[in-house]
Amino acid sequence: DMIVVTGIGTPGNNTRTVADRGLNFYLSGAMGAATCVGLGLALSRPDRNVTVITGERGTFQESTAIGAGPLTGLGHGLSP
């Protein structure tokens, strides 16, 4: 089963409404943390797929938090 991590606001609210389940991890009041939490879960649980759903502002904050700079990963063959 897939682990789903959501950012604050609409991503978490929509996911909770449409597909709430035990493996979903909803961040509340932690803008910019969803990608870091998802990366940590993926590294600690290589047997599971991890999906991160976040908004545009959170994406920019998160990419700088992991030292990548906004959208730098796209230049390294990573898909958005």
Side-chain angles (χ1 to χ4, degrees), residues 11 17 19-21 24 32 36 40 42 44 50 58 60 63-66 68-69 75 78 80:
T17 300
D20 189 27
R21 58 196 189 90
N24 291 359
C36 295
S44 67
V50 177
F60 285 102
S63 63
T64 56
I66 60 173
L78 301 176

Side-chain angles (χ1 to χ4, degrees), residues 25-52:
F25 188 80
Y26 305 104
L27 293 174
S28 177
M31 180 185 262
T35 300
C36 295
V37 170
L39 177 61
L41 286 169
L43 292 172
S44 67
R45 293 299 308 264
D47 58 314
R48 298 225 186 222
N49 291 320
V50 177
T51 298
V52 175

Side-chain angles (χ1 to χ4, degrees), residues 5 56 59 69:
V5 179
E56 72 283 349
T59 301

